[in-house]
Amino acid sequence: MSSDARPDFDAVVVGAGFAGLYTLHRLRGLGLAAVAYERAGGVGGTWYWNRYPGARCDVESLHYSYSFDADLEREWDWTERYAAQPEILAYLNHVADRFDLRRDIRFETTVRSAAFDETADVWTLDIDPGGTTTCRFLILATGCLSDAQVPPIPGLDSFAGRWYHTGNWPHEGVDFTGQRVAVIGTGSSGIQSIPIIAAQAEHTYVLQRTPNFSIPARNGPLDPRVLRETQENYAVVREAIRQSPLYFPVNFDPRGTLGVPDDEFRSIIEDRWEGGGLGIAATFADILMSEQAAERVAGIVRQKIRAKVDDPAVAERLIPTTYPFAAKRLCLDTGYFETFNRDDVTLVDLRDGPITGIVPEGVATGQGTIEVDAIVFATGFDAMTGSILRIAITGRGGLTIQEKWAGGPVTYLGLAVHGFPNLFTITGPGSPSVLSNMVPSIEQHVDWIADCLVHLADHGVDVIEAEAAAEREWTDQVHALGDMTIFPKANSWYMGRNIAGKPVGFMPFVGGTVLYRQICDGIAESGYPGFSLGARVNQPA
Ligand code: FAD
Ligand code: NAP
């Protein structure tokens, strides 16, 4: 592009999930020419792709929803404590319609590459279909859990039946009636889908490599009175959430676990178990900080699991023992452990013999072949970096994001990357993102970026770039904080350990959303220290 030509757009947004939709709305409000490209055929992101049976949120819907528009808050009636995928997708479609967002979204369009032109300070994108487009600002709303992974198990092509990944589920649904089904994976997606698949299939084999801690969701219809009261008082409710370190209400006891007498401790944790929800991990100050503290909670949770499973040998196999409580993402379930009391469900513990391949008849393991008609991969995602690294992004001096992050992601605030000017990541690695209720985290990032763009315009600045030193210092802090917690003790996707060859390191910022927001706000108020702000190299004629 010649240095005096205007780019096609002020900003391009990649993705049309919770993040992309709100970004587009804010950019429009600033009077910017913006477009969003979305690989999917519709809006929704996570909630477009993950249509597997039982998919629902595990942060309460009253909180897992946008707060940016008071009318939207009042007019949308959630029906359950944790809405199911169709309802969340309907909500996001409603948002797209209500704010007339679709006219600036190109669906079924993938951004393949983006290159920064240093002579014009413009991003040039290769989009498919569509060719080339240019923009001043590139905003990656590509999602932390959007790059679904089918493990590289040999022989999948030879399988005589049908196979599915939870993160790319057929829109028409799947009828497992009369079928023998193997579900591979017992993370949140497996734990949500297995009870429903088991209720339908002729026989369900659950292939478990690592057992997971799961807490009862205690889902149910939302009490209309609670809904109405929340809608009438949303400003107060949202402010309380803004002051919570996870962006959802937690009944936090500031004491350290180890100082609490046994009886009291048990009664508090049992209370949390009865209430259900992820907040159990934040019951005491040190659960996520100390293996000993986490173990005290784990002891009670293990007893609860034993009480649910009739066969003691099966129960022991379902009980996690090799990593601290909550060091892998906690799961919420509805009847997961009880499912193993069914005659038509078999737990296949892969620690007795791993999967060796897929054969026409089913899944071959070190314990023999499990003959099935269908395989469900509930095997997760290349989290936090996968969808960014799938785009060939080239910054200053020909440096690619793949080269830059070869040793693991480095960012400033999880929002920007040195060497990649005018590029922002939403809930990127180095921000609280997946350790929080993600909708408020998304809103915080989008608002920060929007305010930043206003600042740049007001000060005649065209180019913003994270400085190398600030980025290094921030990333070191993210790692140092992570090392103070129990998270590195598990083979989790937080650590990148679920993907062969992926650099290992704790990716999110664990200091909490409140501290993080204060840091971001402080940086904005102080004129963006840690960022270099510049005029364009070549001003248009
Ligand atoms: P996404 O919703 O992932 O959207 C990203 C979009 O970008 C996708 O549609 C993708 O197709 C598109 N895209 C990516 N790359 C490209 C490209 N190169 N070109 C074009 N388009 C591209 N979080 C919570 O806080 N609470 C929950 O209860 C919760 N439940 C979850 C349940 C499931 C099953 C999963 C998988 C995740 C869940 N999460 C939850 C995390 C969830 O991902 C976020 O809450 C939120 O939906 C993320 O929104 P997003 O817009 O950032 O990303
Ligand atoms: P996940 O947590 O990464 O779980 C993947 C599962 O597949 C694990 O049990 C893993 O075992 C197993 N697995 C992977 N490769 C395997 C292989 N080659 N052989 C055998 N087993 C294999 O993925 P997920 O369940 O899709 O969840 C990802 C995240 O999305 C969650 O942590 C959560 O943040 C979000 N989510 C939320 C909800 C919700 O309730 N709202 C629902 C779904 C997802 P190992 O543990 O041994 O690696």
Side-chain angles (χ1 to χ4, degrees), residues 377-435:
F377 289 96
T379 45
F381 303 86
D382 183 351
M384 304 207 72
T385 55
S387 283
I388 296 175
L389 292 172
R390 267 169 74 177
I391 308 173
I393 303 176
T394 309
R396 277 195 203 286
L399 179 73
T400 66
I401 194 81
Q402 290 73 18
E403 290 162 346
K404 170 95 187 190
W405 286 3
V410 282
T411 69
Y412 185 35
L413 303 171
L415 274 162
V417 185
H418 174 66
F420 298 81
N422 289 357
L423 178 148
F424 295 101
T425 52
I426 297 179
T427 63
S431 75
S433 63
V434 291
L435 293 181

Side-chain angles (χ1 to χ4, degrees), residues 233-270:
N233 295 291
Y234 246 131
V236 177
V237 171
R238 300 290 194 193
E239 185 48 34
I241 285 170
R242 269 168 60 80
Q243 301 312 326
S244 151
L246 299 172
Y247 279 162
F248 59 82
V250 285
N251 192 355
F252 180 69
D253 188 326
R255 288 176 296 173
T257 306
L258 303 178
V260 184
D262 271 345
D263 284 356
E264 188 188 355
F265 184 79
R266 169 166 287 280
S267 134
I268 291 174
I269 295 296
E270 294 216 345

Side-chain angles (χ1 to χ4, degrees), residues 244-246 289 430-432 435 474 477-478 481-482 485 487 506 508-519:
S244 151
L246 299 172
M289 309 296 287
S431 75
L435 293 181
W474 180 258
Q477 265 186 50
V478 167
L481 285 172
T485 71
F487 289 111
F506 188 65
F509 172 81
V510 75
T513 50
V514 178
L515 173 63
Y516 176 77
R517 191 181 66 243
Q518 285 164 355
I519 294 170

Side-chain angles (χ1 to χ4, degrees), residues 46-47 50 52 54-59 64 82-83 88 145 149-153 165-167 184-192 207-212 278 323 328-333 350 354-355 377-381 383 434 438 491-494 497-498:
T46 288
W47 304 103
N50 289 264
Y52 60 84
R56 57 178 70 249
C57 54
D58 59 5
V59 169
Y64 185 71
Y82 301 100
I88 305 173
L145 294 158
Q149 292 292 306
V150 177
I153 302 172
H165 190 289
T166 49
I184 303 177
T186 51
S188 299
S189 303
I191 281 177
Q192 282 189 330
L207 280 66
Q208 170 193 265
R209 189 165 69 180
T210 312
N212 245 308
L278 297 172
Y323 59 92
K328 271 178 184 275
R329 170 66 155 71
L330 265 189
C331 304
L332 292 196
D333 73 276
L350 296 171
I355 297 173
F377 289 96
T379 45
F381 303 86
V434 291
M438 288 199 70
N491 288 330
S492 68
W493 57 259
Y494 291 137
R497 289 198 180 111
N498 63 327

Side-chain angles (χ1 to χ4, degrees), residues 239-368:
E239 185 48 34
I241 285 170
R242 269 168 60 80
Q243 301 312 326
S244 151
L246 299 172
Y247 279 162
F248 59 82
V250 285
N251 192 355
F252 180 69
D253 188 326
R255 288 176 296 173
T257 306
L258 303 178
V260 184
D262 271 345
D263 284 356
E264 188 188 355
F265 184 79
R266 169 166 287 280
S267 134
I268 291 174
I269 295 296
E270 294 216 345
D271 244 33
R272 301 297 161 91
W273 176 272
E274 287 312 316
L278 297 172
I280 192 169
T283 307
F284 294 101
D286 54 352
I287 292 178
L288 298 174
M289 309 296 287
S290 137
E291 278 192 77
Q292 238 185 320
E295 185 52 29
R296 223 173 152 203
V297 184
I300 297 175
V301 171
R302 290 193 191 108
Q303 287 172 11
K304 296 285 180 194
I305 298 173
R306 281 188 192 104
K308 283 170 182 265
V309 182
D310 295 344
D311 181 337
V314 173
E316 288 315 308
R317 289 181 177 280
L318 288 167
I319 286 174
T321 53
T322 54
Y323 59 92
F325 176 77
K328 271 178 184 275
R329 170 66 155 71
L330 265 189
C331 304
L332 292 196
D333 73 276
T334 300
Y336 172 67
F337 294 109
E338 295 85 338
T339 299
F340 294 90
N341 298 333
R342 298 176 66 109
D343 294 336
D344 53 7
V345 172
T346 305
L347 178 66
V348 180
D349 190 335
L350 296 171
R351 292 168 295 187
D352 290 346
I355 297 173
T356 53
I358 307 285
V359 292
E361 302 77 33
V363 186
T365 76
Q367 312 160 50

Side-chain angles (χ1 to χ4, degrees), residues 9 12-16 35-39 106 109 111 125 127 133:
F9 298 100
V12 162
V13 183
V14 189
V35 68
Y37 295 112
E38 169 56 67
R39 175 182 294 122
R106 308 284 169 269
T109 305
V111 175
L125 275 57
I127 54 171
T133 192

